[in-house]
């Protein structure tokens, strides 16, 4: 995932003058010249459909079907880049919610980027996070809470541009990052619930994602995963599971790539494990 495609994808997602756009400009600005050189050298793929057409050597065959495929590919890359940048912006807030940057959390982010977006994304994502931490420090030094306000406004923009299921997967990744060191302090839980609300999601959905890793062997956690209380009726348990399985179905995020779909598939397996524990305890 080269820098040029980062820029093209993100600028296709943000709007001029938006908080998310401002953050993108801050962390990506120094890369523009290199990206433009890459385009000029032909190292980052065709910049426009016309570039691709010229390189194909045939204007007669590289027509309607190829144009459609090219547009689809550009849209796909834009969605992935936008999703990843949004993830890093929100992760920069969650990671520092307790006032410190944990090595385990940073390593988890790197591993997540490697698995879901490739090795090049690790290098670029690491640099983006460092710049976001720097920006957070600068903004809060000038006016306390200003970075949080920018993150809130970014969340509202993400809400307007991403589907419900994509925002759920975004929240799931953030919860995984918070759990990376085996301990989620109150400050991070509150940050995740606040982000969930800002994304148009609920605190119950945040709690569900936070309990996924223990929902298969802890009954209390399993109920939180299904977003219900232990005194729910059997019918309510079944209904809650069906609703959860539907909204977390991996195919709902397939447009972000096969790797992200697989991450959602793993999440659904954990939801199923929590359901199985509850069913077993009730003899269902």
């Amino acid at each position: 995932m080269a820098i040029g495609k980062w820029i093209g994808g993100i600028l296709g997602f943000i709007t001029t003058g938006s908080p998310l756009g401002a953050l993108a400009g801050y962390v990506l600005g120094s890369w523009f010249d290199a990206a433009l050189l890459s385009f000029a050298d032909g190292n980052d793929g065709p910049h426009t459909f016309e570039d691709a057409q010229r390189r194909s050597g045939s204007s007669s065959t590289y027509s309607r079907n190829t144009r459609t495929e090219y547009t689809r590919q550009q849209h796909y890359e834009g969605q992935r880049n936008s999703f990843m940048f949004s993830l890093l912006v929100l992760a920069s807030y969650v990671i520092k919610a307790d006032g410190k940057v944990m090595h385990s959390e940073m390593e988890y982010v790197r591993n997540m980027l490697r698995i879901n977006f490739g090795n090049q994304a690790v290098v670029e994502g690491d640099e983006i996070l460092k710049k976001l931490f720097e920006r957070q420090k600068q903004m809060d030094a000038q006016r306390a809470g200003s970075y949080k306000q920018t993150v809130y406004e970014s969340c509202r923009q993400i809400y307007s541009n991403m589907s419900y299921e994509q925002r759920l997967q975004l929240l799931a990744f953030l919860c995984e990052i918070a759990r990376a060191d085996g301990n989620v302090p109150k400050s991070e839980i509150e940050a995740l619930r606040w982000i969930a609300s800002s994304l148009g999601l609920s605190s119950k959905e945040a709690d569900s994602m936070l309990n996924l890793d223990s929902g298969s062997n802890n009954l209390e956690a399993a109920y939180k995963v299904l977003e219900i209380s232990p005194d729910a009726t059997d019918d309510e348990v079944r209904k809650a599971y069906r609703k959860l399985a539907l909204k977390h179905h991996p195919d709902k995020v397939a447009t972000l790539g096969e790797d992200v779909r697989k991450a959602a598939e793993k999440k659904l397996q954990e939801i199923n494990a929590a359901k199985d524990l509850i069913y077993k305890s009730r003899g269902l």
Side-chain angles (χ1 to χ4, degrees), residues 45-118:
H47 192 191
T48 66
F49 173 79
E50 287 72 21
D51 289 338
Q53 191 175 39
R54 283 195 297 271
R55 290 179 198 180
S56 73
S58 173
S59 59
S60 60
T61 58
Y62 206 90
S63 54
R64 183 179 300 172
N65 290 340
T66 306
R67 181 183 290 274
T68 299
E69 180 59 30
Y70 179 81
T71 301
R72 186 183 296 115
Q73 181 64 20
Q74 291 296 95
H75 178 71
Y76 165 74
E77 290 176 356
Q79 277 197 315
R80 279 177 65 82
N81 293 347
S82 301
F83 183 88
M84 191 161 104
F85 185 76
S86 298
L87 172 62
L88 292 173
V89 169
L90 301 185
S92 72
Y93 180 77
V94 172
I95 289 172
K96 289 203 71 177
D98 58 356
K100 53 191 175 184
V101 177
M102 298 294 292
H103 175 74
S104 55
E105 290 175 330
M106 289 295 292
E107 278 300 303
Y108 193 87
V109 173
R110 293 181 187 112
N111 189 50
M112 179 186 294
L113 292 174
R114 184 178 295 106
I115 292 172
N116 294 289
F117 298 95

Side-chain angles (χ1 to χ4, degrees), residues 14-276:
I14 62 177
T15 55
T16 304
S18 71
L20 195 59
L23 289 174
Y26 176 80
V27 300
L28 296 175
S30 61
W31 292 338
F32 268 91
D33 289 341
L36 290 175
L37 285 174
S38 179
F39 283 137
D41 292 339
N43 295 326
D44 198 25
H47 192 191
T48 66
F49 173 79
E50 287 72 21
D51 289 338
Q53 191 175 39
R54 283 195 297 271
R55 290 179 198 180
S56 73
S58 173
S59 59
S60 60
T61 58
Y62 206 90
S63 54
R64 183 179 300 172
N65 290 340
T66 306
R67 181 183 290 274
T68 299
E69 180 59 30
Y70 179 81
T71 301
R72 186 183 296 115
Q73 181 64 20
Q74 291 296 95
H75 178 71
Y76 165 74
E77 290 176 356
Q79 277 197 315
R80 279 177 65 82
N81 293 347
S82 301
F83 183 88
M84 191 161 104
F85 185 76
S86 298
L87 172 62
L88 292 173
V89 169
L90 301 185
S92 72
Y93 180 77
V94 172
I95 289 172
K96 289 203 71 177
D98 58 356
K100 53 191 175 184
V101 177
M102 298 294 292
H103 175 74
S104 55
E105 290 175 330
M106 289 295 292
E107 278 300 303
Y108 193 87
V109 173
R110 293 181 187 112
N111 189 50
M112 179 186 294
L113 292 174
R114 184 178 295 106
I115 292 172
N116 294 289
F117 298 95
N119 289 328
Q120 183 61 30
V122 178
V123 178
E124 295 165 7
D126 207 44
E127 184 66 22
I128 285 174
L129 268 181
K130 288 177 182 177
K131 286 182 176 292
L132 286 170
F133 289 143
E134 179 185 336
R135 186 59 172 164
Q136 182 174 2
K137 182 178 180 180
Q138 291 173 352
M139 291 179 70
D140 287 344
Q142 295 172 357
R143 181 170 61 86
S146 59
Y147 190 77
K148 181 178 181 178
Q149 179 61 29
T150 298
V151 171
Y152 170 76
E153 293 172 8
S154 296
C155 284
R156 299 314 295 169
Q157 188 180 3
I158 292 168
Y159 171 79
S160 299
N161 285 276
M162 284 188 192
S163 69
Y164 170 71
E165 291 80 12
Q166 289 175 342
R167 284 178 277 129
L168 268 181
Q169 186 58 43
L170 199 61
L171 179 63
F173 278 143
L174 291 171
C175 289
E176 286 185 34
I177 293 169
R179 298 198 313 258
D181 58 358
N183 175 51
V184 186
K186 184 179 178 181
S187 57
E188 289 187 357
I189 294 174
E190 290 175 350
L192 287 163
R193 288 174 175 172
W194 174 77
I195 283 177
S197 175
S198 301
L199 289 173
L201 305 174
S202 69
S203 58
K204 277 191 174 182
E205 286 171 318
D207 291 342
S208 174
M209 298 298 97
L210 282 169
N211 284 276
L212 279 178
D213 61 335
S214 52
S216 63
N217 52 37
N218 182 299
L219 194 57
E220 182 181 357
Y223 279 108
K224 288 181 180 178
V225 169
L226 263 62
E227 301 175 23
I228 54 176
S229 64
D231 59 0
T233 66
D234 290 348
D235 283 343
E236 287 172 335
V237 170
R238 293 188 183 97
K239 184 178 178 180
Y241 167 70
R242 288 195 296 268
K243 180 180 178 182
L244 207 63
L246 182 63
K247 73 181 184 180
H248 286 285
H249 196 283
D251 288 348
K252 298 287 183 71
V253 293
T255 56
L256 295 174
E258 180 62 17
D259 35 22
V260 177
R261 195 195 69 79
K262 285 182 178 178
E265 193 173 74
K266 178 178 178 292
K267 178 180 60 178
L268 184 57
Q269 289 171 352
E270 292 173 321
I271 290 171
N272 284 331
K275 178 265 296 182
D276 289 344

